Amino acid sequence: SVDNSFPDDRVCSDDDYDSTRIEGSIEAKNRLLFIFKRFIASIGRAGCPLVLFLDDVQWADQASLDLLESLVTDRSSGSTMVVGTYRSNEVGEEHALARTIGNIKAANRKEVVDILLGNLKPDDVNDLVATVLRQQEENVRTLSDIVKDKTLGNPFHAISFMQALEHEGLLSFNFGSFKWSWDVEKINAKYVTANVADLMTQKLQALQPEAQTVLEIAACIGCEFD
């Protein structure tokens, strides 16, 4: 959220802008947008472009989305590229992010490129596992095949599955050889029918009873509650 990004409205000012405190939500919002865009413009410039990466934008509040829209549609931010990621299955036509993207495209001032990311292919999962474990790709194929089978190539779930293996002691670092090691037979025996849903269930069951109760109540309320 950007609502409290600048608790002191005198954090940034210049000679051509009145630094007098302005009361009112609309004025305060415009002031914040002005300050933020000037700040970004001072970093991203010709010969020294700026790339902003924003993850899980579907969770951004309206104030943050307004800031994003103002920044992207501003002509003075020509040396700035914004890359945002979101889960398409969580963003419907009426979602605030969908409206923001629509507004940005309608402004037609900057090119907006949509990139749909699917699940990783077997070789990609193998590369991911090799990178995480810092081993040669040919040495992790037995493990990556299991990871691909259990997670269907979803990058987030693949990492979560490997973390679960490490937590269960099925994936461990050998300080003698300074390499990660694993036992395929033990992993298959432990996770005979395991998939990502089973992993999440196990994580929830490992929580304290009080925490599980809170989650049960929250699940009845919905995906958003205060």
Side-chain angles (χ1 to χ4, degrees), residues 162-181:
M162 293 179 65
Q163 290 174 335
L165 293 180
E166 193 274 334
H167 180 73
E168 295 289 339
L170 300 175
L171 176 63
S172 59
F173 188 75
N174 189 318
F175 286 94
S177 60
F178 287 97
K179 292 182 178 180
W180 288 89
S181 60

Side-chain angles (χ1 to χ4, degrees), residues 2-3 5 20 29 34-35 42-43 51-52 62 73 93 109 115 118-119 123 137 148 165 173 194 210 215:
V2 299
D3 289 307
S5 297
T20 303
K29 174 182 177 180
F34 173 85
I35 293 174
S42 69
I43 301 176
V51 177
L52 293 177
Q62 189 59 56
T73 56
E93 294 182 356
R109 294 180 178 177
I115 302 176
N119 289 343
D123 287 343
E137 295 181 12
K148 175 64 171 67
L165 293 180
F173 188 75
E210 295 81 3
L215 290 176

Side-chain angles (χ1 to χ4, degrees), residues 26-46:
I26 297 179
E27 291 84 357
K29 174 182 177 180
N30 291 336
R31 185 181 182 85
L32 173 60
L33 296 177
F34 173 85
I35 293 174
F36 188 79
K37 286 189 291 185
R38 284 186 63 88
F39 172 70
I40 293 298
S42 69
I43 301 176
R45 54 190 182 278

Side-chain angles (χ1 to χ4, degrees), residues 15-140:
D15 295 337
D16 62 356
Y17 194 84
D18 183 8
S19 60
T20 303
R21 180 180 296 274
I22 301 176
E23 301 295 340
S25 59
I26 297 179
E27 291 84 357
K29 174 182 177 180
N30 291 336
R31 185 181 182 85
L32 173 60
L33 296 177
F34 173 85
I35 293 174
F36 188 79
K37 286 189 291 185
R38 284 186 63 88
F39 172 70
I40 293 298
S42 69
I43 301 176
R45 54 190 182 278
C48 185
L50 172 67
V51 177
L52 293 177
F53 179 79
L54 308 175
D55 196 16
D56 286 326
V57 190
Q58 77 275 2
W59 292 335
D61 60 16
Q62 189 59 56
S64 299
L65 292 175
D66 290 342
L67 178 65
L68 176 62
E69 180 181 338
S70 179
L71 173 64
V72 174
T73 56
D74 184 49
R75 294 184 183 276
S76 64
S77 59
S79 296
T80 301
M81 180 174 70
V82 178
V83 180
T85 67
Y86 65 93
R87 302 176 185 178
S88 57
N89 63 315
E90 296 183 17
V91 179
E93 294 182 356
E94 300 302 319
H95 194 282
L97 176 58
R99 293 195 296 270
T100 297
I101 295 176
N103 293 340
I104 293 174
K105 291 182 176 180
N108 198 29
R109 294 180 178 177
K110 301 288 178 65
E111 181 180 6
V112 178
V113 179
D114 296 314
I115 302 176
L116 179 62
L117 300 179
N119 289 343
L120 300 177
K121 298 179 180 179
D123 287 343
D124 297 325
V125 174
N126 190 62
D127 181 58
L128 172 65
V129 174
T131 300
V132 171
L133 302 184
R134 297 187 178 183
Q135 295 195 29
Q136 296 296 321
E137 295 181 12
E138 60 269 17
N139 296 333
V140 300

Side-chain angles (χ1 to χ4, degrees), residues 213-223 225:
T213 300
V214 172
L215 290 176
E216 289 175 357
I217 297 174
C220 296
I221 298 176
C223 60
F225 65 92

